[in-house]
Amino acid sequence: MFPELNNLLNVSPDKPEQGKFTLLCDAKTDGGFLVHHFLSFYLKANCKVCFVALLQSFSHYNIVGQKLGVNLIAARDRGQLVFFEGLKSTVEVLFGSKEQPNTLKFIRESSSDLKSLYEFVQKALTPSGDGSATSWKFPVLLVDDLSVLLSLGVEAVAVLDFIQYCRATVCCQLKGNVVALVHDSDQTEDEENAMLMNALGHQSSLILRAEGLVTGFCKDVHGQLKILRRGLLQPKSEQTRSLIYQYKIQDKSVTFFARGLSPAVL
Amino acid sequence: MAALTTGFGRARQGGAGDPREYKAETAAGGDKLGGGGGGGDRGCSFLRKVSVPGSGGGGGGGARLRSIAGTRPSVQNGQLLVSAGLPALDQLLGGGLAVGTLLLIEEDKYNIYSSLIFKYFLAEGIVCGHTLLVASAKEDPGDILQELPEPLHDDNYKKVLDEGRSHKSQEEPEISMKIAWRYQNLPQMEAGPGTSSRFGHYYDVSKRMSQEVIQSAKWHKFFLPEEITSYANVESCALNHGYTKLLHFIQRVISEQGFDGSNPQKKQKNILRIGIQSLGSPLWGDDICCADTPEHMHSLTRFLYVLRGLLRMSLSACIITVPSHLIQNKAVTSRIRNLSDTVVGLESFIGSEKEANSLYKDYHGLIHIHQIPRLNSLICDVSDTKDLAFKLQRKVFTIERLHLPPDLSDTVSRSSKRDLVESAKQLSPGCGMMAGGKEHLDF
């Protein structure tokens, strides 16, 4: 987790917010650092995390997590982290034996249904009946990323249904959080992606949007981050406040600063 | 004394096997090590050199980490890299192509230069002793291998380079710059043969690789017309028939030859270089290049996803060329780019209006590095130069930084200046992965 981002968002691992849906999007740049931030943040906050990683392998997140101070292998062993590796499961589904339970069977069939993935998430995050497990604070679902599902042939409506089911279970029923990453494609004509992003944007309480700089590539400023808070129930204060910061990604952390005040310029 | 453990040897047990845990030895003082091999499948960024050989950890049958020919660790994060065949391209990609990743080449209009880069990749594999897997729907892979360029020895390279530069006197190192003295210390674009003679090799495009070298190489071929005997309409895996066959073929080669660590007795590990030519073209049975709203829009993206899964779990590197200029639907192009790790686009000047432009008179085309992966770290090694052009001389293929020429005309007319400004706008506003500029901003 990046301490500066925690300050900007006004949260800390000791008192994280509950029952929220956070949308991460990136446009023309790579927003993966936000996923690493939230993964390490919720692990440090002692929450039970179900991470659906569709695009990268486990060791990628593990190695970055070590730089950020969390050990994913230890978290997985003690049951705090349930890691779903999309790439590995796909290979097993297509080339393995047919009897294996396949959460990704939509790859094999044309019918695009994410019900099996939802059942996996539900089983992972619903606390089991026995009291032997240590109590975690609240469950968190992290998805990286949803645009890949569109590439795999799942319809945007099916993805929205999946997120709706997950929000109902995780946010409302279990009082947990859901964080999802979607790639923004404003320049290309990807209508399905645009629809997905707009719909999820309306459902979310916090949107973090990583964009490239308008002026192009810069070595010292890697992009800008827009933080958009949507107040769902409070019409008076905290309506839709948006803050913009610029950032630079380093090996072990990300530094944020106000626009135009990069340390390289000052 | 630290025991050396490999993430790779433990691949089968832990189930989290990933070749990117398989880091080559570096002398840099590293972090802690999974002591005694009992550290499960913890991968470390740096592994200390072992002083006593054979003292492997308990896991993985004590397989010792031996460096594979033709690979080297990345200086940034210890990632295992292979050369793409062109040292200039390696430099732009951050040192080389990472093992387990996919290099996507967006073809130029007539597939001249992209097939050349494809051949460089395969030739590099033969020279390093890697196993090749060549798949094509258009020409027989055996014919592709016959056309590979011949490798050059170090002393020949300088002669070849000097021939190419003889009409331009560029060797003036002793004359110091008087006006632009700030640029005196800028490094040259290409690395000389002395710096990376083990890792990247140089090739002579005007000659063919000798038959003995080709015969000695180990390679597997997939030629689509031979594999598909019946044109059944039934699609299994909701994928194109040709793609399904290719995926099964690749998976069979990987598991039978042990590239995914399933054969721990094999001491000498090797890299599998996969080359797939013109993926997505109608010859593969796909219609994304033919129609504006294709019927099988998801075939190629599904194929790329499964291929990514196969690559991540094996010691392999893959190059594919896609005729993206034929794909009408831009959404598909961006989805293909998101599913690949490294994306390089080639734009040749043949037949376009840029051929007459004075800006580009020395070059044959532009090369765009659209995307570089961030693997195992938050940052990646992006090169600063975004404006790159290539030219194919008689013997070598060079990539150079593109400069705007000075405006030396006496009367600066509006039209000529507008031409230059137009071409300056063509110079890419930035690597798409890092940042993108809006078009109306004009500097």
Side-chain angles (χ1 to χ4, degrees):
Chain A
M1 83 178 168
F2 313 128
E4 296 190 25
L5 188 55
N6 284 346
N7 292 340
L8 293 180
L9 293 176
N10 225 358
V11 290
S12 85
D14 308 320
K15 40 173 183 63
E17 297 176 322
Q18 273 187 274
K20 301 273 186 225
F21 174 53
T22 307
L23 179 67
L24 311 172
C25 41
D26 55 16
K28 286 204 166 77
T29 183
D30 185 23
F33 68 98
L34 293 170
V35 176
H36 293 297
H37 162 80
F38 278 104
L39 179 61
S40 50
F41 176 79
Y42 283 119
L43 283 178
K44 279 194 181 158
N46 218 11
C47 303
K48 177 148 180 156
V49 178
C50 173
F51 190 9
V52 176
L54 295 172
L55 213 50
Q56 300 281 8
S57 62
F58 177 75
S59 65
H60 167 77
Y61 296 103
N62 187 26
I63 293 179
V64 181
Q66 278 174 355
K67 292 185 183 168
L68 299 182
V70 289
N71 190 340
L72 293 191
I73 298 181
R76 191 175 57 174
D77 290 338
R78 62 173 181 256
Q80 192 188 5
L81 172 68
V82 178
F83 197 95
F84 177 71
E85 208 172 331
L87 290 171
K88 204 162 73 138
S89 304
T90 308
V91 172
E92 280 171 9
V93 159
L94 285 182
F95 303 116
S97 54
K98 306 281 190 223
E99 303 90 37
Q100 279 180 9
N102 33 15
T103 37
L104 283 185
K105 66 179 195 296
F106 57 85
I107 292 215
R108 218 203 320 240
E109 299 153 18
S110 295
S111 70
S112 47
D113 195 88
L114 291 173
K115 205 160 85 155
S116 41
L117 192 59
Y118 163 67
E119 281 162 9
F120 171 83
V121 170
Q122 190 187 25
K123 197 162 68 94
L125 288 182
T126 313
S128 48
D130 54 351
S132 61
T134 53
S135 61
W136 309 108
K137 260 199 201 148
F138 53 83
V140 174
L141 168 66
L142 198 51
V143 185
D144 177 26
D145 63 76
L146 289 175
S147 305
V148 172
L149 292 173
L150 293 180
S151 305
L152 289 176
V154 181
E155 287 182 4
V157 178
V159 180
L160 286 173
D161 287 342
F162 167 71
I163 291 289
Q164 178 68 17
Y165 270 79
C166 288
R167 268 182 58 218
T169 313
V170 177
C171 291
C172 303
Q173 194 182 336
L174 301 173
K175 301 284 183 289
N177 286 348
V178 177
V179 182
L181 173 70
V182 178
H183 290 302
D184 186 11
S185 52
D186 48 311
Q187 297 291 326
T188 63
E189 306 138 4
D190 203 345
E191 292 161 357
E192 286 203 339
N193 205 359
M195 177 171 83
L196 182 67
M197 219 197 58
N198 284 333
L200 290 180
H202 285 298
Q203 294 174 10
S204 57
S205 57
L206 175 66
I207 303 179
L208 292 181
R209 195 184 156 85
E211 298 172 330
L213 290 179
V214 172
T215 45
F217 169 70
C218 172
K219 213 164 47 154
D220 298 306
V221 179
H222 290 156
Q224 81 182 9
L225 182 72
K226 268 195 199 157
I227 303 175
L228 196 68
R229 282 192 190 280
R230 301 176 57 89
L232 295 170
L233 295 177
Q234 316 93 313
K236 324 186 263 288
S237 60
E238 309 242 3
Q239 269 262 322
T240 36
R241 221 165 38 109
S242 104
L243 302 168
I244 302 183
Y245 295 96
Q246 291 179 342
Y247 61 85
K248 175 175 180 178
I249 304 180
Q250 285 149 345
D251 190 34
K252 290 196 179 173
S253 71
V254 177
T255 50
F256 293 86
F257 36 86
R259 274 188 291 181
L261 295 182
S262 148
V265 167
L266 295 174
Chain B
M1 194 229 2
L4 206 53
T5 53
T6 74
F8 195 76
R10 284 174 263 124
R12 264 2 209 164
Q13 305 151 22
D18 184 53
R20 283 177 280 116
E21 290 181 2
Y22 182 79
K23 312 281 197 252
E25 305 168 349
T26 60
D31 317 335
K32 55 154 176 74
L33 227 35
D41 36 9
R42 209 176 303 150
C44 307
S45 304
F46 293 103
L47 298 169
R48 287 199 198 100
K49 267 205 172 91
V50 163
S51 51
V52 177
S55 67
R64 196 161 83 84
L65 207 72
R66 227 176 281 206
S67 59
I68 311 175
T71 65
R72 74 164 176 204
S74 152
V75 291
Q76 194 201 24
N77 54 2
Q79 185 79 37
L80 200 62
L81 301 176
V82 293
S83 167
L86 277 170
L89 190 61
D90 287 341
Q91 202 180 12
L92 293 170
L93 299 182
L97 188 62
V99 169
T101 61
L102 173 65
L103 169 63
L104 171 75
I105 307 275
E106 296 186 341
E107 289 178 9
D108 55 308
K109 210 157 155 197
Y110 302 104
N111 196 10
I112 303 173
Y113 303 106
S114 44
S115 65
L116 190 61
I117 296 191
F118 187 75
K119 290 182 183 132
Y120 270 118
F121 185 83
L122 297 178
E124 181 72 25
I126 292 188
V127 170
C128 296
H130 299 158
T131 311
L132 298 184
L133 194 161
V134 188
S136 171
K138 194 165 58 167
E139 42 181 325
D140 193 314
D143 296 338
I144 298 179
L145 284 189
Q146 296 299 319
E147 292 171 4
L148 295 183
E150 190 198 14
L152 282 173
H153 298 291
D154 294 343
D155 46 351
N156 281 343
Y157 179 64
K158 275 218 146 35
K159 272 194 287 186
V160 169
L161 253 197
D162 287 344
E163 278 176 40
R165 289 188 190 159
S166 57
H167 60 281
K168 272 199 284 188
S169 61
Q170 252 179 324
E171 343 274 13
E172 306 172 15
E174 57 277 352
I175 300 180
S176 61
M177 301 187 188
K178 290 197 180 58
I179 298 179
W181 51 274
R182 280 268 185 222
Y183 295 104
Q184 182 80 43
N185 300 325
L186 272 186
Q188 291 285 333
M189 187 66 205
E190 284 182 87
T195 53
S196 55
S197 49
R198 292 284 150 181
F199 182 60
H201 297 89
Y202 292 86
Y203 298 90
D204 184 350
V205 184
S206 58
K207 302 201 185 99
R208 300 263 178 263
M209 199 181 261
S210 63
Q211 282 299 319
E212 306 90 54
V213 179
I214 300 180
Q215 301 294 341
S216 68
K218 189 150 182 273
W219 64 286
H220 306 268
K221 99 172 188 181
F222 182 92
F223 187 37
L224 189 70
E226 285 175 8
E227 302 287 331
I228 294 208
T229 45
S230 67
Y231 290 90
N233 272 342
V234 172
E235 292 179 355
S236 64
C237 310
L239 264 175
N240 200 346
H241 197 40
Y243 293 156
T244 317
K245 283 239 163 205
L246 178 56
L247 280 174
H248 281 285
F249 181 77
I250 294 176
Q251 192 266 337
R252 207 170 56 231
V253 169
I254 288 179
S255 61
E256 280 172 11
Q257 307 287 321
F259 289 105
D260 54 353
S262 56
N263 197 358
Q265 281 80 29
K266 209 187 225 191
K267 292 294 183 195
Q268 194 57 32
K269 297 189 171 54
N270 207 352
I271 305 270
L272 174 69
R273 284 191 185 227
I274 306 175
I276 310 177
Q277 211 184 28
S278 281
L279 204 59
S281 74
L283 289 169
W284 285 96
D286 203 355
D287 65 346
I288 49 173
C289 292
C290 315
D292 205 2
T293 46
E295 238 180 70
H296 311 124
M297 201 163 82
H298 304 290
S299 254
L300 180 58
T301 42
R302 278 203 183 110
F303 172 84
L304 286 177
Y305 187 72
V306 181
L307 179 66
R308 194 185 171 108
L310 285 174
L311 291 175
R312 289 283 196 269
M313 56 169 252
S314 62
L315 273 183
S316 51
C318 180
I319 184 173
I320 58 177
T321 66
V322 172
S324 331
H325 55 97
L326 292 177
I327 299 180
Q328 309 285 337
N329 195 347
K330 293 289 165 246
V332 177
T333 318
S334 71
R335 284 181 188 176
I336 292 175
R337 279 192 195 167
N338 284 339
L339 284 171
S340 318
D341 294 301
T342 317
V343 181
V344 172
L346 293 175
E347 181 191 341
S348 83
F349 296 145
I350 300 177
S352 80
E353 67 271 5
K354 294 184 186 164
E355 206 171 1
N357 197 335
S358 61
L359 188 61
Y360 303 129
K361 65 172 166 15
D362 289 330
Y363 301 105
H364 290 133
L366 298 176
I367 184 166
H368 308 281
I369 312 279
H370 291 292
Q371 188 174 298
I372 294 182
R374 296 175 202 232
L375 294 168
N376 297 343
S377 88
L378 289 169
I379 51 179
C380 61
D381 200 9
V382 186
S383 123
D384 282 346
T385 42
K386 302 290 169 203
D387 312 312
L388 299 158
F390 63 84
K391 65 180 163 197
L392 177 61
Q393 291 160 328
R394 195 170 60 89
K395 291 195 176 182
V396 288
F397 180 91
T398 51
I399 301 178
E400 288 172 17
R401 177 188 287 184
L402 187 64
H403 299 282
L404 275 180
D407 198 6
L408 292 175
S409 56
D410 291 332
T411 57
V412 181
S413 62
R414 290 293 289 175
S415 56
S416 69
K417 200 149 174 104
R418 203 179 306 135
D419 275 348
L420 262 177
V421 164
E422 276 303 314
S423 21
K425 276 203 191 133
Q426 300 297 327
L427 299 180
S428 56
C431 186
M433 176 212 52
M434 294 290 281
K438 290 226 170 68
E439 289 85 11
H440 67 267
L441 280 174
D442 183 2
F443 289 94

